[in-house]
Amino acid sequence: MASTPGQVIKCKAAVAWEAGKSLVIEEVEVAPPQAMEVRVKILFTSLCHTDVFFWEAKGQTPVFPRILGHEAAGIVESVGEGVTDLQPGDHVLPVFTGECKECDHCKSEESNMCSLLRIDPDRGVMIGDGKSRFSINGKPIYHFLGTSTFSEYTVVHVGCLAKINPLAPLETVCVLSCGISTGFGATVNVAKPKKGSSVAVFGLGAVGLAAAEGARVSGASRIIGVDLNSDRFEQAKKFGVTEFVNPKDHDRPVQEVIAEMTGGGVDRSVECTGNINAMISAFECVHDGWGVAVLVGVPPKDAVFKTSPVNFLCERTLKGTFYGNYKPRTDIPCLVEKYMNKEMELEKFITHEVPFSEINKAFDLMVSGEGLRCLIRMEN
């Protein structure tokens, strides 16, 4: 990488040319980083459901051609003007949201919703000059979530990069840059279950199982998994889930089933599906007096949350969370250290692996519901 700083780099990238169509491995040109930007050599990336969501572009603004990908790990190749806390050779995790460290949100101990670098799925250009750093034959290829990790090289705002321990295995910790941190943090940072408490987790995909892992690490004695796919229970046991409820198996609302199972409701619940009915159930299944429900999943834009105000008056609490309330640059390096110290497990989330040339297989696995995370190895 020594000869590339300041130069345009030609490399391979998986380009989504239109909604729902297979990605195409293309040679793209990646421009040097501008002020407050960093160019990163991506070594490992994984597929998150958010990538699939915007690739399908159902009900979303279609921004194509585009380079997707936002859950990854790599090494800094070069830095732009004004970047002082990263240098070539540093190991980093790109994150879809940022931490400028200067806005009111970043200065607040209670928020991680950076005013400058908050997630914007419709923006396909760099925030500094409104231009793309990717091109093919002079025509721009759009960015995704400020990361675009389905490329051997990408350009990211410095505020969206977490510098991590260089001894951490990049092929494993890459999953911390999105879904696993989101679910784990929703439990440990927001729900905060006490030792011996009961927790219900709605949705047993990767984010939900990360939430269950957070409950396990917190010492919860009962972790009830709720999912429409009963086949997921066996796998969920590895993440601490002790009981399973499939709403389809009952002729009454699942919140009533859970309340009966637990003598009035669970102490905490975490909703990880984005389904509005699951969100309502997650809130209504927590115990009166002290129950806390945390919403993680993103619902459709026109969804409406409907419940009786009495549920609040009876001292139930409803919270939302974004990226598990983690500040990317400040907190994610600490989460990597937690993994390095064997305080949390990550390997069990990675169920498949494919070379970059076969990235479309990862989409097939995600769409079919197989596995949790598919690791994409950039170098064969």
Side-chain angles (χ1 to χ4, degrees):
M1 293 192 289
S3 63
T4 53
Q7 307 296 315
V8 171
I9 290 178
K10 291 185 177 181
C11 69
K12 291 179 180 178
V15 178
W17 287 100
E18 53 184 303
K21 297 296 178 69
S22 295
L23 274 57
V24 180
I25 303 294
E26 306 275 14
E27 183 179 77
V28 300
E29 293 189 340
V30 185
Q34 301 303 304
M36 302 307 292
E37 296 174 0
V38 178
R39 190 160 59 184
V40 179
K41 179 179 175 63
I42 299 297
L43 296 180
F44 300 95
T45 185
S46 55
L47 180 66
C48 171
H49 191 267
T50 301
D51 296 306
V52 176
F53 191 60
F54 285 93
W55 166 67
E56 293 177 332
K58 296 177 180 177
Q60 304 297 322
T61 303
V63 182
F64 297 98
R66 197 172 210 180
I67 297 173
L68 298 166
H70 65 286
E71 196 173 83
I75 299 176
V76 172
E77 175 269 340
S78 61
V79 302
E81 181 184 350
V83 176
T84 58
D85 54 353
L86 285 175
Q87 59 186 9
D90 285 343
H91 287 208
V92 292
L93 300 183
V95 182
F96 64 88
T97 185
E99 182 185 354
C100 72
K101 297 191 175 184
E102 296 177 0
C103 70
D104 289 344
H105 283 277
C106 287
K107 290 179 179 178
S108 167
E109 293 182 0
E110 300 178 12
S111 175
N112 67 339
M113 301 188 71
C114 177
S115 299
L116 177 67
L117 300 169
R118 190 179 305 185
I119 184 173
D120 182 357
D122 293 342
R123 188 179 68 236
V125 293
M126 296 303 292
I127 201 169
D129 60 4
K131 296 179 181 179
S132 174
R133 302 291 175 259
F134 299 110
S135 63
I136 296 178
N137 297 325
K139 296 183 178 180
I141 306 296
Y142 294 112
H143 294 249
F144 177 63
L145 301 186
T147 51
S148 291
T149 61
F150 293 167
S151 175
E152 292 176 324
Y153 286 86
T154 188
V155 177
V156 182
H157 190 285
V158 65
C160 295
L161 290 168
K163 179 182 176 180
I164 63 168
N165 186 337
L167 298 179
L170 296 180
E171 66 271 24
T172 305
V173 297
C174 68
V175 298
L176 287 173
S177 63
C178 181
I180 310 311
S181 297
T182 296
F184 190 83
T187 302
V188 300
N189 294 336
V190 187
K192 298 180 180 178
K194 297 178 181 179
K195 189 173 183 178
S197 62
S198 57
V199 179
V201 177
F202 286 71
L204 297 178
V207 175
L209 291 177
E213 179 79 354
R216 182 188 70 80
V217 169
S218 299
S221 60
R222 296 182 72 179
I223 304 175
I224 302 169
V226 183
D227 201 288
L228 297 174
N229 183 354
S230 297
D231 294 338
R232 289 184 167 177
F233 181 42
E234 203 57 40
Q235 183 180 52
K237 292 178 181 178
K238 301 176 184 177
F239 299 84
V241 175
T242 58
E243 299 156 77
F244 181 81
V245 177
N246 187 333
K248 293 191 297 185
D249 294 340
H250 303 274
D251 57 4
R252 54 185 172 143
V254 70
Q255 53 265 48
E256 294 181 11
V257 175
I258 293 173
E260 184 177 292
M261 289 171 61
T262 56
V266 289
D267 301 308
R268 302 288 187 266
S269 71
V270 185
E271 191 287 323
C272 303
T273 71
N275 178 284
I276 193 66
N277 292 321
M279 290 181 165
I280 294 169
S281 296
F283 175 55
E284 294 182 353
C285 82
V286 298
H287 206 290
D288 58 7
W290 61 79
V292 177
V294 178
L295 305 185
V296 179
V298 180
K301 292 179 180 179
D302 58 351
V304 176
F305 189 99
K306 186 177 181 180
T307 191
S308 170
V310 172
N311 288 319
F312 293 97
L313 295 175
C314 290
E315 300 180 5
R316 294 179 179 89
T317 299
L318 180 65
K319 292 184 174 184
T321 181
F322 175 71
Y323 193 48
N325 275 44
Y326 286 118
K327 293 179 184 286
R329 299 165 79 182
T330 300
D331 298 332
I332 297 308
C334 301
L335 207 53
V336 169
E337 292 306 312
K338 187 180 286 287
Y339 163 75
M340 296 291 282
N341 294 331
K342 302 189 185 318
E343 296 174 40
M344 67 182 301
E345 300 175 19
L346 295 177
E347 287 85 355
K348 58 190 177 183
F349 287 98
I350 301 171
T351 54
H352 297 83
E353 181 179 328
V354 298
F356 187 41
S357 59
E358 298 177 17
I359 189 171
N360 287 298
K361 285 187 178 180
F363 279 77
D364 294 339
L365 289 165
M366 178 71 75
V367 172
S368 66
E370 294 182 56
L372 297 175
R373 279 294 186 265
C374 181
L375 181 70
I376 299 161
R377 188 177 294 269
M378 303 301 286
E379 295 180 337
N380 295 335

